[in-house]
Amino acid sequence: MSAPILTLDHIQFAYQDRVILHDISIQFQKGQVVAIMGGSGSGKTTILRIIAGLIKAAKGQLAWNGSSEIWHNDVALYAWRKEVGMLFQQGALLTDISVFENIAFPLRELTHLPESIIRDIVLMKLEAVGLRGAHQLMPSALSGGMARRVALARAIVMDPLLIMYDEPFAGLDPISMGVIANLIRRLNDALGATSLLVSHDVDESFAIADFVYFVSQGRIVAQGTPAQLRQSTHPYVQQFIEAKADGPVPFHYPSCDIQKDFSL
């Protein structure tokens, strides 16, 4: 196996006294779709924010192609972000401009391409997600699934080397979820990119991921291919995959003895 394109090495992060990530180490191989899975509040989105340079790890090191300079130099970080696409959980489309202008926005901000080239690129990206015919619509006219596809087209408009997805299946109907999952896999392979998928949707993530990390309470508790994790005997993995109400993640929030609350 070749050297990973992105590594997180013993990453720790806390908000004051509240520790969010404990000693997280993850590797991303070029060309793979890697899923980070876990319940709400487990630290998944915090990992994305650290990789993007929006927050800084308290301890540990990140490296892109073996170099950690990006996260210690603002100029290098801003330049590297041009190679990164991001699909936000709710799409984050600009509501007052059209679908076309939403996708053209990064090209106009970050390149000096003529309008004729920008137009061709935008329409090609929309064609890739099946929405070329919707380029004149406003975001308010889009369904949830369509809006997510437009956001995906915007995320890949710069042909990024790394694409990050924050809960891309949240709030979608089963058909839209399947469409988005298929697009994530297909676009990753077509671009030769590396994709980081943060999600708690098991079936969709397992269908497209090459490798999966399970995070619980800020720690990596299991890792492997989807096939390996389906066979895992780890209690947390079993509870998560089988959607059990109780297990390592308890159903009941810690409380005093029930007799004390209901005593007469």
PDB file of all heavy atoms in Angstrom, residues 55-68:
ATOM      1  N   ILE A  55     -10.333  24.843  13.389  1.00  0.00           N
ATOM      2  CA  ILE A  55      -9.896  24.801  14.776  1.00  0.00           C
ATOM      3  C   ILE A  55      -8.579  24.040  14.823  1.00  0.00           C
ATOM      4  O   ILE A  55      -8.257  23.283  13.902  1.00  0.00           O
ATOM      5  CB  ILE A  55     -10.945  24.121  15.698  1.00  0.00           C
ATOM      6  CG1 ILE A  55     -11.300  22.725  15.170  1.00  0.00           C
ATOM      7  CG2 ILE A  55     -12.188  24.969  15.829  1.00  0.00           C
ATOM      8  CD1 ILE A  55     -12.281  21.964  16.052  1.00  0.00           C
ATOM      9  N   LYS A  56      -7.814  24.266  15.866  1.00  0.00           N
ATOM     10  CA  LYS A  56      -6.500  23.639  15.977  1.00  0.00           C
ATOM     11  C   LYS A  56      -6.501  22.563  17.052  1.00  0.00           C
ATOM     12  O   LYS A  56      -7.084  22.756  18.131  1.00  0.00           O
ATOM     13  CB  LYS A  56      -5.428  24.690  16.289  1.00  0.00           C
ATOM     14  CG  LYS A  56      -5.207  25.700  15.170  1.00  0.00           C
ATOM     15  CD  LYS A  56      -4.057  26.625  15.500  1.00  0.00           C
ATOM     16  CE  LYS A  56      -3.845  27.636  14.368  1.00  0.00           C
ATOM     17  NZ  LYS A  56      -3.416  26.968  13.125  1.00  0.00           N
ATOM     18  N   ALA A  57      -5.857  21.454  16.755  1.00  0.00           N
ATOM     19  CA  ALA A  57      -5.736  20.380  17.733  1.00  0.00           C
ATOM     20  C   ALA A  57      -4.857  20.826  18.890  1.00  0.00           C
ATOM     21  O   ALA A  57      -3.890  21.577  18.709  1.00  0.00           O
ATOM     22  CB  ALA A  57      -5.139  19.137  17.066  1.00  0.00           C
ATOM     23  N   ALA A  58      -5.204  20.366  20.086  1.00  0.00           N
ATOM     24  CA  ALA A  58      -4.397  20.685  21.257  1.00  0.00           C
ATOM     25  C   ALA A  58      -3.080  19.915  21.228  1.00  0.00           C
ATOM     26  O   ALA A  58      -2.031  20.429  21.633  1.00  0.00           O
ATOM     27  CB  ALA A  58      -5.170  20.366  22.531  1.00  0.00           C
ATOM     28  N   LYS A  59      -3.142  18.679  20.736  1.00  0.00           N
ATOM     29  CA  LYS A  59      -1.956  17.839  20.618  1.00  0.00           C
ATOM     30  C   LYS A  59      -2.071  17.012  19.347  1.00  0.00           C
ATOM     31  O   LYS A  59      -3.156  16.828  18.801  1.00  0.00           O
ATOM     32  CB  LYS A  59      -1.808  16.914  21.832  1.00  0.00           C
ATOM     33  CG  LYS A  59      -1.514  17.625  23.139  1.00  0.00           C
ATOM     34  CD  LYS A  59      -1.315  16.615  24.271  1.00  0.00           C
ATOM     35  CE  LYS A  59      -1.018  17.325  25.589  1.00  0.00           C
ATOM     36  NZ  LYS A  59      -0.840  16.349  26.703  1.00  0.00           N
ATOM     37  N   GLY A  60      -0.948  16.484  18.895  1.00  0.00           N
ATOM     38  CA  GLY A  60      -0.937  15.640  17.710  1.00  0.00           C
ATOM     39  C   GLY A  60      -0.559  16.405  16.460  1.00  0.00           C
ATOM     40  O   GLY A  60      -0.330  17.618  16.490  1.00  0.00           O
ATOM     41  N   GLN A  61      -0.502  15.681  15.354  1.00  0.00           N
ATOM     42  CA  GLN A  61      -0.026  16.265  14.104  1.00  0.00           C
ATOM     43  C   GLN A  61      -0.855  15.790  12.921  1.00  0.00           C
ATOM     44  O   GLN A  61      -1.290  14.644  12.875  1.00  0.00           O
ATOM     45  CB  GLN A  61       1.450  15.895  13.885  1.00  0.00           C
ATOM     46  CG  GLN A  61       2.126  16.606  12.744  1.00  0.00           C
ATOM     47  CD  GLN A  61       3.614  16.283  12.689  1.00  0.00           C
ATOM     48  OE1 GLN A  61       4.006  15.119  12.777  1.00  0.00           O
ATOM     49  NE2 GLN A  61       4.439  17.305  12.533  1.00  0.00           N
ATOM     50  N   LEU A  62      -1.074  16.705  11.973  1.00  0.00           N
ATOM     51  CA  LEU A  62      -1.697  16.361  10.704  1.00  0.00           C
ATOM     52  C   LEU A  62      -0.643  16.486   9.620  1.00  0.00           C
ATOM     53  O   LEU A  62       0.259  17.329   9.710  1.00  0.00           O
ATOM     54  CB  LEU A  62      -2.860  17.289  10.380  1.00  0.00           C
ATOM     55  CG  LEU A  62      -4.074  17.268  11.307  1.00  0.00           C
ATOM     56  CD1 LEU A  62      -3.903  18.309  12.418  1.00  0.00           C
ATOM     57  CD2 LEU A  62      -5.353  17.559  10.542  1.00  0.00           C
ATOM     58  N   ALA A  63      -0.777  15.673   8.566  1.00  0.00           N
ATOM     59  CA  ALA A  63       0.172  15.749   7.460  1.00  0.00           C
ATOM     60  C   ALA A  63      -0.543  15.488   6.146  1.00  0.00           C
ATOM     61  O   ALA A  63      -1.381  14.596   6.049  1.00  0.00           O
ATOM     62  CB  ALA A  63       1.307  14.748   7.648  1.00  0.00           C
ATOM     63  N   TRP A  64      -0.219  16.297   5.151  1.00  0.00           N
ATOM     64  CA  TRP A  64      -0.730  16.133   3.795  1.00  0.00           C
ATOM     65  C   TRP A  64       0.452  15.785   2.907  1.00  0.00           C
ATOM     66  O   TRP A  64       1.402  16.552   2.806  1.00  0.00           O
ATOM     67  CB  TRP A  64      -1.406  17.425   3.321  1.00  0.00           C
ATOM     68  CG  TRP A  64      -1.880  17.424   1.899  1.00  0.00           C
ATOM     69  CD1 TRP A  64      -1.270  18.002   0.825  1.00  0.00           C
ATOM     70  CD2 TRP A  64      -3.074  16.803   1.393  1.00  0.00           C
ATOM     71  NE1 TRP A  64      -2.010  17.793  -0.308  1.00  0.00           N
ATOM     72  CE2 TRP A  64      -3.115  17.064   0.004  1.00  0.00           C
ATOM     73  CE3 TRP A  64      -4.092  16.059   1.976  1.00  0.00           C
ATOM     74  CZ2 TRP A  64      -4.157  16.599  -0.804  1.00  0.00           C
ATOM     75  CZ3 TRP A  64      -5.121  15.611   1.168  1.00  0.00           C
ATOM     76  CH2 TRP A  64      -5.156  15.869  -0.202  1.00  0.00           C
ATOM     77  N   ASN A  65       0.433  14.600   2.313  1.00  0.00           N
ATOM     78  CA  ASN A  65       1.569  14.108   1.531  1.00  0.00           C
ATOM     79  C   ASN A  65       2.860  14.183   2.329  1.00  0.00           C
ATOM     80  O   ASN A  65       3.921  14.556   1.818  1.00  0.00           O
ATOM     81  CB  ASN A  65       1.714  14.885   0.225  1.00  0.00           C
ATOM     82  CG  ASN A  65       0.770  14.384  -0.847  1.00  0.00           C
ATOM     83  OD1 ASN A  65       0.423  13.198  -0.880  1.00  0.00           O
ATOM     84  ND2 ASN A  65       0.339  15.278  -1.721  1.00  0.00           N
ATOM     85  N   GLY A  66       2.762  13.861   3.613  1.00  0.00           N
ATOM     86  CA  GLY A  66       3.935  13.800   4.469  1.00  0.00           C
ATOM     87  C   GLY A  66       4.356  15.108   5.099  1.00  0.00           C
ATOM     88  O   GLY A  66       5.269  15.128   5.931  1.00  0.00           O
ATOM     89  N   SER A  67       3.710  16.227   4.752  1.00  0.00           N
ATOM     90  CA  SER A  67       4.097  17.537   5.278  1.00  0.00           C
ATOM     91  C   SER A  67       3.005  18.095   6.180  1.00  0.00           C
ATOM     92  O   SER A  67       1.821  18.053   5.844  1.00  0.00           O
ATOM     93  CB  SER A  67       4.356  18.520   4.131  1.00  0.00           C
ATOM     94  OG  SER A  67       4.565  19.829   4.633  1.00  0.00           O
ATOM     95  N   SER A  68       3.421  18.660   7.323  1.00  0.00           N
ATOM     96  CA  SER A  68       2.476  19.264   8.258  1.00  0.00           C
ATOM     97  C   SER A  68       2.462  20.791   8.160  1.00  0.00           C
ATOM     98  O   SER A  68       1.793  21.457   8.950  1.00  0.00           O
ATOM     99  CB  SER A  68       2.815  18.846   9.692  1.00  0.00           C
ATOM    100  OG  SER A  68       4.122  19.297  10.041  1.00  0.00           O
TER     101      SER A  68
END
